[in-house]
């Protein structure tokens, strides 16, 4: 009965989404307050219906209801409860329910926190979100029913892919979807602004929190997925430029550019046309990622669907939403005349450079990801585009981007002088040069690590210099650290957030540079034998059987010796899952935060075992930097000025300023 209720809830949500996509839009067009006022209620109703469907799906997996086809294919009674629940979105049908759940949450958030938005704008934004929701709900109802029954019900399920039975993968998709779908709100604001023909400072203030929230969640989702790949797949790496990995990177790059360009719209009412275009492209790239993963065009551990009908349906949605948004942009962008003149050397100029380089990197990733598919489809040729292409093509773009990131925040708006800023950054440049020279002295000329250490130190020091410059620690006389501390406490949290996010990227760059110096060794050891790597001895003591909740394993005991003394014991495993008859590798990792000792157990032969040993310097800093970046986003988002104190929206020519439609507003 509960699965049928869940299916009915999805159908009800579809009906409410259709109403949400039409009635408020009609009301905004006719200036009818009652129809516009229906938008928040419809969004709330759709949210309740989708939450009911999602709860029904979770219940089916939690109780292992094997009369539901999705439960049979992706769950098993012996699985821990966490993986039963994560199995609800560890498949195509369930992941799409998660998608529409996050989308409904976004609509509910706009309805709840956008009560002070101009009535017409809020109605149009919610209408666009309703259109997006209606398309995906229809997709689920027609092609991807998560509550499909199977009869007779089998005694138990087939189990979830063992690679996905991990805490990292349990939380990775929800975070990623909060980022992907979060850009639907900025897309809706962009389309609403194009319909209205108006983009101003208030619009930039309203858009920026949503872009920031989506970017922060997407940053966490990408970092968590990279960390999972590092410790779960047993290959010792963190990023392989897999097309599905790239599918999440592209909207992150576009979203980063959007976040920065929205600042210019808010502060100077410049880059209005460009910011609207970025809002459309960021969501379009999110939809592209959905198409790549769900259409079956990719073979990946991340790819769920293989039904051509599903792929065609999602492609149609992609063309409808993105194509429609771009068509509207082409028709209405001319009405958004450029304003806010500025000199090339200025804060605005640095943000333009930031946008150009970020979009260029996104274009490289886009071409490298999609061209092999088009070559296979149109030319019948198999082309492999891997890390060498991406590393070589992106490096020349990343170097000036990193160089400008420390300089830009210290430039003045409208017009600035570069030399005084560089003078205030002299110690950051000295620190970066010192890091590069130290790497050269210890490891010789290796382009990636040398530039990585220099860039990482430059960004961390540059973020510190930005804060020190804001509090005027060394520029005011007499020198007073306590006064500077009081000024620091009074700094807007948005300023702290930007500095923390830039420093987080610097920490990630230091981690990437360290991984460029990683060492690896593949050895066959018998019990009692050892192998050396990076100043340590790895001794194989024994290999034994281990029994888990829904798996059995062979576990190696490896003692790590330093200067002849035992320092720690690592226990890598090879697990066998009887349900699905799948074997996985469980790496044993010990971190000192300056390096990871990483051991993978391979096959056993001739009475011994194959071990793959890794010494990965600064590896944890890659994901620590991602967490710091997301923390910076959260700090900025917590700034009340960003959420409430939106500037007063000037009344259009020839109208009054007394209606709610032109009031001070905030999200």
């Amino acid at each position: 009965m509960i699965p049928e209720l869940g299916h009915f809830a999805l159908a009800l949500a579809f009906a409410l989404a259709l109403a949400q996509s039409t009635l408020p839009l009609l009301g905004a067009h006719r200036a009818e307050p009652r129809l516009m006022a229906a938008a928040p209620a419809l969004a709330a109703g759709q949210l309740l219906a989708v939450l009911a469907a999602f709860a029904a799906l979770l219940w089916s997996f939690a109780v292992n209801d094997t009369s539901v086809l999705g439960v049979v294919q992706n769950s098993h009674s012996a699985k821990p409860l966490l993986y039963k629940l994560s199995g609800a979105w560890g498949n195509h049908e369930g992941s799409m329910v998660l998608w529409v759940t996050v989308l409904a949450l976004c609509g509910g958030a706009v309805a709840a926190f956008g009560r002070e938005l101009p009535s017409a704008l809020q109605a149009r934004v919610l209408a666009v979100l309703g259109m997006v929701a209606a398309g995906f709900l229809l997709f689920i109802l027609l092609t991807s029913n998560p509550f499909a029954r199977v009869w007779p019900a089998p005694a138990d399920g087939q189990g979830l892919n063992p690679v996905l039975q991990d805490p990292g993968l349990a939380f990775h998709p929800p975070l990623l979807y909060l980022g992907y779908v979060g850009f639907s709100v900025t897309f809706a604001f962009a389309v609403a602004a194009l319909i209205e023909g108006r983009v101003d400072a208030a619009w930039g203030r309203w858009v920026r929190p949503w872009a920031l929230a989506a970017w922060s969640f997407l940053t966490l989702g990408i970092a968590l997925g990279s960390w999972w790949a590092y410790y779960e797949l047993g290959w010792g790496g963190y990023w392989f430029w897999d097309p599905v990995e790239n599918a999440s990177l592209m909207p992150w790059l576009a979203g980063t550019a959007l976040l920065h360009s929205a600042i210019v719209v808010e502060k100077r009412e410049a880059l209005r046309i460009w910011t609207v275009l970025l809002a459309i492209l960021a969501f379009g790239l999110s939809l592209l990622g959905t198409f790549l993963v769900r259409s079956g065009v990719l073979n990946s551990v991340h790819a769920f669907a293989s039904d051509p009908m599903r792929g065609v349906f999602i492609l149609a949605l992609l063309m409808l939403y993105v194509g429609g948004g771009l068509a509207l942009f082409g028709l209405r962008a001319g009405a958004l005349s450029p304003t806010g003149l500025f000199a090339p050397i200025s804060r605005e100029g640095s943000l333009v450079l930031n946008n150009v380089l970020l979009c260029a990197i996104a274009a490289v990733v886009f071409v490298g990801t999609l061209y092999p598919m088009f070559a296979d489809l149109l030319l019948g040729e198999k082309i492999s585009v891997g890390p060498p292409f991406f590393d070589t093509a992106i490096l020349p773009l990343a170097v000036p981007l990193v160089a400008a990131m420390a300089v830009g925040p210290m430039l003045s708006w409208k017009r600035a002088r570069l030399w005084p800023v560089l003078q205030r950054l002299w110690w950051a440049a000295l620190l970066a040069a010192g890091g590069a020279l130290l790497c050269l002295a210890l490891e010789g000329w290796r382009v990636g690590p040398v530039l990585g250490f220099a860039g990482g130190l430059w960004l961390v020091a540059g973020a510190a210099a930005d804060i020190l410059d804001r509090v005027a620690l060394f520029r005011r006389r007499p020198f007073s650290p306590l006064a500077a501390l009081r000024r620091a406490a009074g700094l807007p949290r948005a300023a702290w957030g930007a500095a923390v996010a830039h420093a987080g990227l610097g920490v990630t760059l230091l981690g990437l540079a360290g991984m460029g110096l990683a060492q690896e060794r593949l050895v066959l050891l018998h019990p009692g034998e050892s192998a050396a790597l990076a100043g340590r001895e790895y001794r194989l003591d024994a290999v034994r059987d281990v029994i888990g909740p829904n798996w059995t394993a062979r576990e190696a005991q490896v003692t790590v010796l330093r200067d002849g003394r035992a320092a720690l014991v690592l226990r890598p495993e090879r697990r066998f899952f009887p349900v699905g008859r799948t074997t996985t590798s469980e790496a044993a990792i010990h971190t000192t935060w300056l390096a990871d000792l990483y051991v993978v157990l391979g096959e056993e032969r001739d009475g011994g075992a194959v071990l793959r040993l890794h010494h990965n310097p600064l590896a944890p800093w890659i994901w620590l930097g991602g967490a710091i970046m997301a923390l910076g986003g959260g700090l900025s988002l917590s700034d009340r000025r960003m959420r409430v104190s939106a500037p007063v929206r000037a009344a259009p020519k020839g109208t009054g300023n007394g209606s709610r439609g032109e009031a001070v507003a905030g999200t």
Side-chain angles (χ1 to χ4, degrees):
M1 184 63 181
I2 288 181
E4 281 70 31
L5 289 175
H7 192 260
F8 172 77
L10 286 176
L12 176 61
F14 173 66
L16 291 170
L18 283 179
Q20 180 184 333
S21 64
T22 53
L23 296 180
L25 205 58
L26 184 63
H29 179 68
R30 294 182 175 179
E32 293 189 15
R34 287 181 298 176
L35 288 179
M36 289 189 286
L42 289 170
Q46 185 205 145
L47 173 60
L48 291 175
V50 172
L51 285 177
F54 190 55
L57 185 65
L58 290 177
W59 174 264
S60 299
F61 275 83
V63 301
N64 198 45
D65 184 355
T66 54
S67 68
V68 177
L69 181 60
V71 175
V72 175
Q73 295 175 336
N74 300 281
S75 191
H76 191 273
S77 59
K79 283 199 319 183
L81 180 61
L82 174 63
Y83 303 138
K84 287 182 180 179
L85 295 178
S86 64
W89 57 77
N91 59 92
H92 169 75
E93 292 80 5
S95 68
M96 295 312 301
V97 176
L98 176 63
W99 175 279
V100 295
T101 301
V102 176
L103 185 58
L105 286 170
C106 290
V110 173
F113 299 111
R115 287 173 292 183
E116 297 303 321
L117 285 171
S119 301
L121 180 64
Q122 186 190 38
R124 290 185 175 109
V125 169
L126 288 173
V128 175
L129 290 174
M131 293 178 191
V132 177
F136 278 95
L137 285 165
L138 184 63
F139 170 73
I140 293 173
L141 291 170
L142 294 183
T143 72
S144 308
N145 180 11
F147 300 106
R149 293 283 196 172
V150 58
W151 187 260
D156 212 337
Q158 301 170 6
L160 181 66
N161 183 344
V163 174
L164 304 180
Q165 295 184 38
D166 180 84
L169 251 294
F171 299 106
H172 165 65
L175 288 173
L176 206 61
Y177 281 11
L178 283 167
Y180 276 163
V181 185
F183 286 121
S184 66
V185 181
T186 59
F187 171 78
F189 268 96
V191 173
L194 289 172
I195 294 173
E196 190 178 80
R198 190 174 184 196
V199 176
D200 53 17
W203 181 88
R205 175 65 62 87
W206 294 325
V207 163
R208 197 149 69 95
W210 300 105
L212 185 57
W215 178 88
S216 299
F217 282 120
L218 189 55
T219 301
L220 280 177
I222 292 173
L224 186 58
S226 172
W227 184 44
W228 166 81
Y230 173 74
Y231 72 78
E232 177 64 24
L233 298 184
W235 61 298
Y238 56 90
W239 194 268
F240 195 65
W241 296 105
D242 178 272
V244 179
E245 293 174 334
N246 296 347
S248 63
L249 181 61
M250 287 186 285
W252 185 87
L253 291 166
T256 306
L258 169 63
L259 186 59
H260 288 83
S261 66
I263 298 174
V264 184
V265 175
E266 177 190 341
K267 301 293 185 183
R268 300 282 302 145
E269 290 203 21
L271 302 184
R272 297 185 301 167
I273 298 174
W274 173 245
T275 303
V276 169
L277 179 59
L278 279 177
I280 296 172
L281 293 179
F283 183 57
L285 291 172
S286 296
L287 291 180
L288 176 65
T290 303
F291 169 71
L292 293 177
V293 176
R294 311 288 171 222
S295 64
V297 301
L298 299 178
N299 291 318
S300 167
V301 70
H302 309 77
F304 297 131
S306 58
D307 186 347
M309 180 181 176
R310 292 172 175 173
V312 171
F313 202 118
I314 294 179
L315 184 60
L317 291 177
L318 176 65
M319 295 174 65
L320 174 65
Y321 296 138
V322 182
L326 291 176
L328 184 61
F329 176 82
L331 290 173
R332 304 302 297 271
L336 306 176
S337 56
T339 58
L341 299 177
F342 53 87
I345 304 299
S346 62
R347 180 81 64 88
E348 298 97 322
S350 71
L351 291 172
V352 169
L353 178 63
N354 158 287
N355 271 225
V356 169
L357 293 172
L358 283 170
C359 291
I361 294 173
V364 169
V365 178
F366 180 87
V367 172
T369 303
L370 294 185
Y371 182 74
M373 302 177 197
F374 284 109
D376 187 16
L377 178 65
L378 301 177
L379 306 177
E381 296 183 5
K382 298 290 185 181
I383 298 176
S384 176
V385 177
F389 165 78
F390 291 105
D391 294 342
T392 304
I394 289 175
L395 185 62
L397 300 171
V399 170
L401 176 64
V402 170
M405 280 181 64
V407 177
M410 301 179 69
L411 294 171
S412 301
W413 292 102
K414 194 172 181 179
R415 183 178 293 105
R417 292 167 55 207
L418 185 60
W419 179 244
V421 173
L422 295 178
Q423 285 180 311
R424 298 201 293 273
L425 286 169
W426 68 268
W427 63 275
L430 189 63
L431 187 62
L437 291 174
L438 182 61
C439 182
L440 280 170
L442 296 178
E443 299 292 336
W445 176 249
R446 299 174 68 173
V447 177
V450 169
L451 293 179
F453 281 117
L457 292 171
W458 168 252
L459 285 182
V460 173
D466 179 31
I467 296 297
L468 293 177
D469 186 66
R470 288 175 183 271
V471 301
L473 177 61
F474 300 110
R475 290 192 290 112
R476 291 198 180 183
R477 296 292 182 269
F479 178 73
S480 176
L482 288 179
L485 195 60
R486 286 193 295 269
R487 288 191 291 271
L491 277 181
R493 274 178 283 185
W496 281 104
V500 168
H502 285 189
L505 181 57
V507 172
T508 293
L509 284 179
L510 291 173
L512 297 178
M515 282 293 285
L517 304 175
Q519 300 179 51
E520 176 184 352
R521 187 175 177 188
L522 186 67
V523 294
L524 172 63
L525 299 179
H526 296 81
E529 295 180 343
S530 62
L533 181 69
R536 292 174 175 84
E537 292 283 333
Y538 293 79
R539 185 184 68 208
L540 176 64
D541 295 329
V543 181
R544 64 189 184 96
D545 292 322
V546 176
I547 298 177
N550 62 334
W551 47 264
T552 60
R554 293 288 287 169
E555 179 188 85
Q557 178 175 308
V558 180
T559 299
V560 182
L561 301 96
R562 189 74 183 265
D563 298 327
R565 283 187 258 181
L568 61 116
V569 176
L570 298 176
R571 292 184 170 86
E573 297 176 352
R574 282 177 59 83
R575 292 182 181 176
F576 176 71
F577 292 78
V579 178
R581 305 191 63 81
T582 304
T583 301
T584 64
S585 294
E586 297 293 320
I589 306 173
H590 173 77
T591 184
T592 65
W593 289 98
L594 293 177
D596 277 356
L597 311 183
Y598 186 110
V599 180
V600 179
L601 174 64
E603 297 180 356
E604 296 179 62
R605 63 176 73 165
D606 302 327
V610 175
L611 297 178
R612 192 168 74 253
L613 313 175
H614 295 261
H615 180 79
N616 297 334
L618 301 184
W621 292 27
I622 297 174
W623 308 288
L624 175 63
I628 293 174
M629 281 190 275
L631 174 63
L635 277 175
S636 294
L637 199 58
S638 70
D639 192 328
R640 190 172 183 272
R641 300 175 316 149
M642 180 175 289
R643 295 178 286 108
V644 177
S645 310
V648 175
R649 194 170 211 191
K653 293 180 180 179
T655 67
N657 195 31
S659 69
R660 177 188 167 223
E662 301 300 335
V664 175
T667 55

